[in-house]
Amino acid sequence: AAIAAALRTEIFLEMNQVLMQAGEQAGADPGDRLLASLRAAIHWALTHPKQHTFRFIRNQQERLIQGQFDYMRDPQADIYIYVFKLMAELRQHYPVRAIADQALVSLVGGVISRAVIDQTAFGEISLAAKVEQVLAVCGAIVFTEPLPQLDDNRT
């Protein structure tokens, strides 16, 4: 169990570094930061399917055993603090669905994980096209209206 926990932490830190760095480089607009972070997370997940799946399964096991996942008590809570702060900013400026932030984050994570598992379902398209298609679905989950930033990137 200790080895699995250490591996989960290592994977989590790598993915989070990619996600947070992309968001920080995207500028001040929360919509741009979210899309950059999601795009980076999706790309990372699609190019690291074994690591992503391992981390996702471990999180699911924890949720099943404990009945919930305590985001703020997770050893890598920094990413969740970043994401939930970003969600609060988004709600001030964008048409975010009236669904709890934890539920939206969970739903988006589920879509990304499904895309990782079912990569062949996309057919013969480039990695970049897969990323943009998954990003469009994630955007449709979070927002009640299409974002202009997504309209330019749909493939």
Side-chain angles (χ1 to χ4, degrees):
I3 294 172
L7 182 57
R8 178 179 167 255
T9 297
E10 181 181 322
I11 292 167
F12 200 79
L13 291 173
E14 180 183 338
M15 187 194 77
N16 292 349
Q17 181 180 6
V18 168
L19 187 149
M20 289 177 71
Q21 185 176 32
E24 290 168 2
Q25 292 174 351
D29 182 77
D32 291 342
R33 290 196 330 263
L34 177 72
L35 294 178
S37 294
L38 279 174
R39 188 175 281 117
I42 295 163
H43 184 274
W44 186 91
L46 291 173
T47 57
H48 298 81
K50 291 178 184 174
Q51 294 93 326
H52 175 82
T53 302
F54 176 82
R55 184 192 66 82
F56 186 76
I57 289 171
R58 287 291 175 184
N59 285 355
Q60 292 302 310
Q61 286 176 333
E62 186 175 328
R63 286 181 182 122
L64 287 171
I65 292 167
Q66 296 179 1
Q68 67 180 16
F69 184 74
D70 188 348
Y71 292 94
M72 295 310 146
R73 290 186 59 201
D74 188 278
Q76 297 82 35
D78 290 353
I79 188 63
Y80 296 118
I81 293 167
Y82 167 79
V83 168
F84 293 128
K85 180 180 174 191
L86 183 55
M87 291 299 294
E89 290 178 49
L90 284 165
R91 288 188 185 281
Q92 295 174 10
H93 304 284
Y94 286 91
V96 175
R97 291 192 187 282
I99 298 174
D101 291 345
Q102 287 186 355
L104 289 173
V105 169
S106 179
L107 290 167
V108 166
V111 165
I112 294 169
S113 293
R114 213 49 229 186
V116 169
I117 293 167
D118 294 334
Q119 284 196 51
T120 59
F122 289 90
E124 296 295 321
I125 63 172
S126 69
L127 173 62
K130 285 181 196 177
V131 169
E132 293 305 316
Q133 288 179 2
V134 176
L135 181 64
V137 172
C138 292
I141 289 170
V142 174
F143 302 105
T144 60
E145 300 172 15
L147 296 185
Q149 299 97 311
L150 283 174
D151 288 340
D152 295 338
N153 294 312
R154 293 206 177 155
T155 54

